[in-house]
Structure formats: C-alpha cells, structure tokens
Amino acid sequence: MATSLIPLSSSSFLQPLKLKALAKPRNSDLSTTRKLITTCDSQKNSETSNPNSRNPNFQKRRNSSKYGTSRRSILKKSFLQEQVTFTARVSADPQVAIIGGGMSGLVCALNLEARGVQSTVFDTGIHGLGGRLGTRIIEPHGLIFDHAAQFFTANDSRFIQYVDGWLEKGLVREWKGVVGELEIGGSFSQFPPSSPPRYIAINGMRALADSLLLESKMVNLVRPCWISKVEPLNGMWHLSENGTPRGQFDVIVIAHNGKCANRLLSASGLPLVAKQMKKLDLSSIWALLAAFDEPLPTVNFEGAFVKGVESLSWMGNNSAKLGNGGDPHCWTFFSTAAYGKQNKVPQENIPTVTSEKVRAGMLHGVETALGLPEGSLPKPVYTRLQLWGAALPKNTPAVPCIFDPQGRAGICGDWLLGSNLESAALSGEALGNHIADYLQNGEANPEEFAIGLHDRLSPLAGHDIGQFPGLTSVGDKEEAKAYQLL
C-alpha cells in the first residue's frame, strides 16, 4: 500500500484553531455508565423485541405525536419548519456534537481533534460502537458473528492511509481466505489473485470501531444514548435524551440515517438538511446468524456472494475468517434486498410467524445455493435473526458531506459517496475538516461554506451487502476477457 501520505496522527500539516487546550466540556451529565436507554435503531432489535418493555415512553410518544410516525407525516413537518440562523459568534472553545458512532462519525471526531476542535460522540450502542461495524458475541458459548459489514477493500489513497495505520497497530489484517461467487446449485468461482486485498478487524468488526478513539484526548464518548431532540437556543444547539439535557454545542453532526435521523431533523429548524436526508432510500436486509456443530456439506470457501437465490445474497464463515477454528462453525447469512423488502415488518416487534418464515426461507436458500437436497442441511445449534430495516443506501448525492452554515449543522455517512466503509471514512474526514475550516474562517461569510444542500441523488449500484471498491464480479471479468478476445 501507498505510505507516502502523512499519517492521521501527524498534525504538522494541519492548522489548529487557537483554542484553550483540553477545556472541560460544558456538558454536565456525560456519564458512560448510565442506565440503559432504548433506541429505535434496528441494530438492537431481534425477533423477540418488545418496544414497550425497552422504553416505557415508546407508546406514549407514538400516540401523542402531533404528526404521527409515518414517513409522510415526518416529511410534512420537515418542510414546514423555519430555517434557524445563528448570528452569535461561536464559543472561544467550540464544541461539536456528533450523533452516531459509526465509521463516519468516529473519523469526523478524529479529524476535528487533529484540527484542535473538541467533540462529543453520542452513540446508541449497548455493547460497543460501530454502526454497521457490528459484531455479536454470544456467551457463555463464545460464538462470534460479524452481523453487518463482513469485510472491506481500500481503493482511495486517503482511505489506504487509514488502513495502513490500522494494520500497523494490529487492528485489522488481510483476509486471505477463499472468497468468491456461488451460483445456484453449488457452482463456486473464487475471486482471482489479482483482486484487491480484503480486510477484516482482528477480533470482529466492532473491535475496530471500539479502538479508534482509545488514543484521543479531545473526544468525549457517551453511550448508550439516544439523542431524541436537538433545539437551537441562545446561539447554541441544546441536545436532550427523552427530556434529559445532554449538553450545549456550537455545531451538530448527524452521522446516522433512517427513521431516527428523520425524526430528529423533523423539528430541528434545519429544513434543507432534513430534506436531503429524506431523499435517502435505504434497503432492508435480513441477517441470520447460525452455528453448526459440523461443517456445511460441499463448502470449500470462507465467504461467497450468492447468485440466483432470492432469500440469500451472502454467506460467510466467521469461525474460519476470524481464525477461531474448531466447533461450532458460526455463519452469517444475508438475504437479498428484494427478500428483505418482501418480508419487511415493524423493526420494533418482529412477529413470531415472520421470524419463523424468514429463518426457514433463508436456511432453505442455503441448501439451494449449495445444491443440497431439501432437508439435508445440518440443523443449527444456535440461530438468531435480525432485520436491518435501514440497511444500506440505494442512492447518493455524490458529495463528501452536507453542511448548513446558517444552522451550523452537517451530515456525514457512507451514503453521501457510496455504500462501503471507505465512503464512510472519507465522508467523516471531509466533514470534520469542513467544520474546522468554518470555525476558523466562516463567520464573516458563512454562505461560502454551504455544501450539499441542493444536490440531486442518483441510484447506487453494488452488491446487496454494499460496495467493495476494486472488487469486480467474476462474471464481469470473464465477460470482459471474452470481449477483448473478439
């Protein structure tokens, strides 16, 4: 990999703000050991979820909302709100709130720190950070599943710089296991040696996210925390969690998407930002985690993109990938986006009949993909089903970030550039630097710092489980080779 770029930890090429060093944040209650606060993120929902038991205010909020909870009502509320315009000067020690602790939010915080700006990351994660960098550990059996991002590639030189740093610190390694495409009936084609390197986190994807802020000194972390309201008041953004104040900030960053982000922005005073977020179209995908006491029949790979099976788009052997070995064999199966849409249900409370149907359908899909007789697949000793209701972006404005200088608010996320870890990191980097530039130079002519507020969104192409820069389908390569021979 290219190593000529200046590493992230170096600040010699940056121009930090003239701020008081490591000033204590003005937030009075940022404990990371508070009681569990529920969230509407699908990451923490299973087929047995009960919204009322997880959050006693859930039904109350739903019934008392003036606009309800439908997408149409949220749109109506968003477009009717007035634009907030801050005229007061930013604080001497600017504070940025980042709502969302996925890759984009974390990289945004790190780039702000490199520019001398303090931030606080609020994340709903119960077990850890990461967003789509999700890893589920089942105790006491020691089962480990990457249940969201399975691996990533690096194509952009800026992202390669991050990956080089993670490799040096031992946070990630190259996944050299056999990976390819599986046609219906069991025909497997391995990606050729010329394919770009595939990377995984050492102890599961979540471990990478949890490690990113360990050396930071200007980033506060608050989790689990669901920011339910952002309110402009007296020149600052006031954040709260179900009525409990969570601090005052000069700038806010929305580093997540889906229903939660739409609700948060619907009464924020940021109609342009809210409108852009509303344009985002997200897929729904089922994830089935299954452990088997014995190896799956006929399997000679660690990961495969599945072709021709509606209920299955990916199957990956976590035990082999992570080097755990032995029994049981822990597999992650993903449905197609079409199957997810066909079987989509309320994420907060998945009906038992639906979970049983989807589980059976996906296991049957495994048999079909492998060319096994019906009913011959070994019975799993453990299964867990999860619906990613807001799984992956289906469209993009192709801008690195969104920023409203009048309202001092921005958005970062993979969907702004693509549908992969690389896009998420580059978006977070762009917004972090953009906010730092604004805080240094933007008060005189704030309109010059507006970005992404009016861009149209275009469809995104890629696998059902995201994009992998540089990784070309085996079929596409064979077609291109045949074309060259003509």
Side-chain angles (χ1 to χ4, degrees):
M1 288 187 180
T3 58
S4 60
L5 296 175
I6 300 175
L8 177 64
S9 59
S10 172
S11 59
S12 60
F13 68 109
L14 301 171
Q15 298 295 324
L17 299 175
K18 295 181 179 180
L19 306 171
K20 298 177 182 178
L22 297 177
K24 294 183 178 180
R26 293 180 295 278
N27 308 304
S28 59
D29 186 10
L30 294 181
S31 170
T32 60
T33 58
R34 295 176 292 104
K35 66 176 183 179
L36 180 66
I37 303 297
T38 203
T39 169
C40 58
D41 277 354
S42 61
Q43 298 173 26
K44 286 166 278 301
N45 299 327
S46 69
E47 62 269 34
T48 58
S49 297
N50 185 327
N52 295 319
S53 64
R54 288 163 38 247
N55 187 345
N57 294 323
F58 179 91
Q59 194 65 35
K60 179 180 177 181
R61 290 200 312 272
R62 184 173 181 176
N63 293 339
S64 62
S65 172
K66 180 178 179 181
Y67 293 93
T69 59
S70 71
R71 177 178 173 86
R72 180 176 305 214
S73 63
I74 293 174
L75 282 169
K76 177 181 177 182
K77 189 173 183 180
S78 297
F79 297 157
L80 290 177
Q81 61 180 315
E82 294 184 7
Q83 170 71 43
V84 61
T85 300
F86 287 110
T87 57
R89 296 181 62 85
V90 297
S91 308
D93 301 305
Q95 300 275 339
V96 178
I98 301 173
I99 306 171
M103 178 57 68
S104 63
L106 296 176
V107 172
C108 181
L110 290 172
N111 276 271
L112 284 169
E113 178 176 61
R115 300 287 298 274
V117 181
Q118 298 187 75
S119 66
T120 297
V121 175
F122 296 92
D123 190 69
T124 59
I126 299 173
H127 304 290
L129 295 166
R132 296 191 189 106
L133 289 175
T135 301
R136 199 172 287 280
I137 302 175
I138 310 302
E139 298 293 359
H141 311 291
L143 308 180
I144 302 179
F145 302 88
D146 278 336
H147 65 119
Q150 299 294 289
F151 68 94
F152 62 93
T153 58
N155 187 56
D156 188 285
S157 60
R158 293 167 296 175
F159 186 58
I160 289 175
Q161 179 182 344
Y162 287 101
V163 178
D164 282 344
W166 300 337
L167 285 167
E168 184 178 345
K169 294 178 180 179
L171 301 178
V172 303
R173 66 173 175 84
E174 186 176 346
W175 182 19
K176 296 186 177 181
V178 176
V179 180
E181 295 176 343
L182 181 65
E183 297 284 349
I184 185 171
S187 176
F188 176 77
S189 300
Q190 182 177 354
F191 288 126
S194 58
S195 297
R198 300 178 299 272
Y199 299 100
I200 57 174
I202 297 297
N203 297 310
M205 288 299 203
R206 191 179 74 204
L208 172 60
D210 287 339
S211 301
L212 292 184
L213 299 183
L214 291 180
E215 298 178 4
S216 65
K217 294 180 173 58
M218 299 180 68
V219 182
N220 298 309
L221 174 61
V222 185
R223 72 165 184 83
C225 177
W226 177 48
I227 296 299
S228 56
K229 187 176 183 180
V230 293
E231 183 178 17
L233 183 65
N234 296 330
M236 301 286 289
W237 282 106
H238 292 241
L239 275 58
S240 60
E241 178 186 22
N242 295 330
T244 301
R246 293 298 175 217
Q248 304 172 27
F249 301 87
D250 298 272
V251 180
I252 58 171
V253 170
I254 309 299
H256 66 298
N257 51 47
K259 290 192 299 183
C260 290
N262 289 337
R263 289 195 186 103
L264 189 64
L265 289 169
S266 64
S268 61
L270 299 166
L272 297 179
V273 174
K275 186 176 181 178
Q276 289 299 84
M277 183 71 82
K278 297 289 183 300
K279 295 177 182 177
L280 172 61
D281 189 14
L282 294 160
S283 66
S284 296
I285 292 177
W286 288 94
L288 175 61
L289 313 181
F292 301 86
D293 274 338
E294 54 188 280
L296 298 187
T298 74
V299 170
N300 59 352
F301 55 82
E302 293 185 10
F305 293 96
V306 180
K307 307 292 183 181
V309 181
E310 184 182 37
S311 63
L312 199 66
S313 68
W314 166 266
M315 52 189 299
N317 187 336
N318 297 276
S319 301
K321 180 181 74 172
L322 298 176
N324 298 330
D327 300 330
H329 303 267
C330 299
W331 284 82
T332 295
F333 304 113
F334 285 125
S335 76
T336 63
Y339 190 79
K341 181 178 180 180
Q342 178 184 341
N343 294 279
K344 188 173 182 179
V345 292
Q347 300 167 184
E348 294 83 5
N349 191 12
I350 299 174
T352 301
V353 63
T354 301
S355 64
E356 292 177 349
K357 172 189 174 184
V358 170
R359 183 184 288 105
M362 293 184 69
L363 290 175
H364 177 67
V366 175
E367 289 181 330
T368 303
L370 295 176
L372 301 176
E374 185 173 353
S376 65
L377 186 73
K379 185 178 180 180
V381 296
Y382 171 87
T383 62
R384 184 185 182 101
L385 190 67
Q386 176 174 333
L387 172 62
W388 290 93
L392 291 168
K394 298 166 64 176
N395 54 354
T396 176
V399 294
C401 60
I402 293 174
F403 187 69
D404 176 1
Q406 304 293 342
R408 296 175 183 169
I411 297 177
C412 60
D414 65 339
W415 66 278
L416 295 169
L417 291 170
S419 178
N420 51 66
L421 200 66
E422 179 172 290
S423 295
L426 295 180
S427 177
E429 177 185 76
L431 184 58
N433 286 319
H434 192 77
I435 290 174
D437 289 340
Y438 167 79
L439 292 174
Q440 277 188 310
N441 309 302
E443 291 192 71
N445 298 293
E447 63 278 356
E448 295 180 0
F449 287 84
I451 183 172
L453 296 173
H454 304 285
D455 291 81
R456 294 177 178 271
L457 275 67
S458 301
L460 265 176
H463 295 279
D464 281 291
I465 65 169
Q467 297 174 321
F468 300 89
L471 189 65
T472 305
S473 169
V474 175
D476 292 343
K477 286 192 175 183
E478 292 299 324
E479 183 179 346
K481 182 178 179 181
Y483 178 81
Q484 291 173 357
L485 294 176
L486 293 178

Short mmCIF file of all heavy atoms in Angstrom, two decimals, residues 65-67 72-81 266-267:
data_model
loop_
_atom_site.label_atom_id
_atom_site.label_comp_id
_atom_site.label_asym_id
_atom_site.label_seq_id
_atom_site.Cartn_x
_atom_site.Cartn_y
_atom_site.Cartn_z
N SER A 65 -47.70 12.11 19.47
CA SER A 65 -47.06 12.90 18.43
C SER A 65 -48.08 13.59 17.56
O SER A 65 -49.04 13.00 17.09
CB SER A 65 -46.17 11.99 17.56
OG SER A 65 -45.69 12.71 16.46
N LYS A 66 -47.88 14.86 17.33
CA LYS A 66 -48.81 15.65 16.53
C LYS A 66 -48.86 15.16 15.10
O LYS A 66 -49.89 15.23 14.44
CB LYS A 66 -48.39 17.12 16.58
CG LYS A 66 -49.30 18.05 15.77
CD LYS A 66 -48.83 19.48 15.91
CE LYS A 66 -49.71 20.42 15.08
NZ LYS A 66 -49.25 21.82 15.19
N TYR A 67 -47.73 14.66 14.60
CA TYR A 67 -47.64 14.28 13.21
C TYR A 67 -47.60 12.77 13.00
O TYR A 67 -47.51 12.29 11.87
CB TYR A 67 -46.38 14.90 12.56
CG TYR A 67 -46.46 16.39 12.48
CD1 TYR A 67 -45.93 17.18 13.49
CD2 TYR A 67 -47.09 17.02 11.41
CE1 TYR A 67 -46.00 18.55 13.43
CE2 TYR A 67 -47.16 18.40 11.34
CZ TYR A 67 -46.62 19.16 12.35
OH TYR A 67 -46.69 20.52 12.27
N ARG A 72 -44.60 10.06 5.59
CA ARG A 72 -45.31 11.20 5.02
C ARG A 72 -45.48 12.31 6.05
O ARG A 72 -45.29 13.49 5.75
CB ARG A 72 -46.67 10.75 4.50
CG ARG A 72 -47.47 11.87 3.88
CD ARG A 72 -48.77 11.34 3.30
NE ARG A 72 -48.52 10.27 2.37
CZ ARG A 72 -49.26 10.06 1.28
NH1 ARG A 72 -50.27 10.83 1.02
NH2 ARG A 72 -48.99 9.05 0.49
N SER A 73 -45.84 11.94 7.28
CA SER A 73 -46.05 12.97 8.30
C SER A 73 -44.74 13.64 8.68
O SER A 73 -44.70 14.84 8.94
CB SER A 73 -46.71 12.36 9.54
OG SER A 73 -45.88 11.38 10.13
N ILE A 74 -43.65 12.87 8.72
CA ILE A 74 -42.34 13.46 9.02
C ILE A 74 -41.93 14.41 7.92
O ILE A 74 -41.39 15.49 8.17
CB ILE A 74 -41.30 12.35 9.22
CG1 ILE A 74 -41.61 11.55 10.48
CG2 ILE A 74 -39.89 12.95 9.34
CD1 ILE A 74 -40.71 10.35 10.69
N LEU A 75 -42.19 14.04 6.67
CA LEU A 75 -41.89 14.93 5.55
C LEU A 75 -42.65 16.24 5.69
O LEU A 75 -42.10 17.32 5.50
CB LEU A 75 -42.27 14.25 4.24
CG LEU A 75 -41.30 13.20 3.70
CD1 LEU A 75 -41.95 12.45 2.55
CD2 LEU A 75 -40.01 13.84 3.24
N LYS A 76 -43.92 16.14 6.02
CA LYS A 76 -44.76 17.34 6.15
C LYS A 76 -44.19 18.27 7.22
O LYS A 76 -44.04 19.47 7.01
CB LYS A 76 -46.18 16.94 6.52
CG LYS A 76 -47.12 18.12 6.76
CD LYS A 76 -48.50 17.60 7.15
CE LYS A 76 -49.44 18.78 7.46
NZ LYS A 76 -50.77 18.30 7.87
N LYS A 77 -43.83 17.69 8.35
CA LYS A 77 -43.30 18.50 9.44
C LYS A 77 -41.97 19.12 9.06
O LYS A 77 -41.69 20.28 9.37
CB LYS A 77 -43.16 17.64 10.69
CG LYS A 77 -42.82 18.42 11.95
CD LYS A 77 -42.87 17.52 13.16
CE LYS A 77 -42.60 18.31 14.43
NZ LYS A 77 -42.63 17.46 15.63
N SER A 78 -41.12 18.34 8.37
CA SER A 78 -39.80 18.84 8.00
C SER A 78 -39.88 20.03 7.06
O SER A 78 -39.14 20.99 7.19
CB SER A 78 -39.00 17.72 7.33
OG SER A 78 -38.79 16.66 8.24
N PHE A 79 -40.77 19.97 6.09
CA PHE A 79 -40.82 21.01 5.07
C PHE A 79 -41.53 22.26 5.57
O PHE A 79 -41.42 23.32 4.96
CB PHE A 79 -41.51 20.47 3.82
CG PHE A 79 -40.76 19.33 3.17
CD1 PHE A 79 -41.41 18.43 2.37
CD2 PHE A 79 -39.41 19.17 3.39
CE1 PHE A 79 -40.72 17.38 1.77
CE2 PHE A 79 -38.70 18.13 2.80
CZ PHE A 79 -39.37 17.23 2.00
N LEU A 80 -42.27 22.17 6.67
CA LEU A 80 -42.97 23.33 7.20
C LEU A 80 -42.12 24.12 8.19
O LEU A 80 -42.44 25.26 8.52
CB LEU A 80 -44.27 22.88 7.90
CG LEU A 80 -45.39 22.38 6.98
CD1 LEU A 80 -46.57 21.91 7.82
CD2 LEU A 80 -45.82 23.45 5.99
N GLN A 81 -41.05 23.54 8.69
CA GLN A 81 -40.26 24.21 9.72
C GLN A 81 -39.46 25.38 9.14
O GLN A 81 -39.08 25.38 7.97
CB GLN A 81 -39.32 23.21 10.39
CG GLN A 81 -38.31 22.56 9.46
CD GLN A 81 -37.42 21.58 10.19
OE1 GLN A 81 -36.91 21.88 11.27
NE2 GLN A 81 -37.22 20.41 9.62
N SER A 266 -36.85 16.45 11.96
CA SER A 266 -38.16 16.92 11.53
C SER A 266 -38.60 18.22 12.21
O SER A 266 -39.40 18.96 11.66
CB SER A 266 -39.21 15.83 11.79
OG SER A 266 -39.35 15.57 13.18
N ALA A 267 -38.08 18.50 13.40
CA ALA A 267 -38.44 19.74 14.10
C ALA A 267 -37.19 20.47 14.56
O ALA A 267 -37.19 21.14 15.59
CB ALA A 267 -39.34 19.43 15.30
#
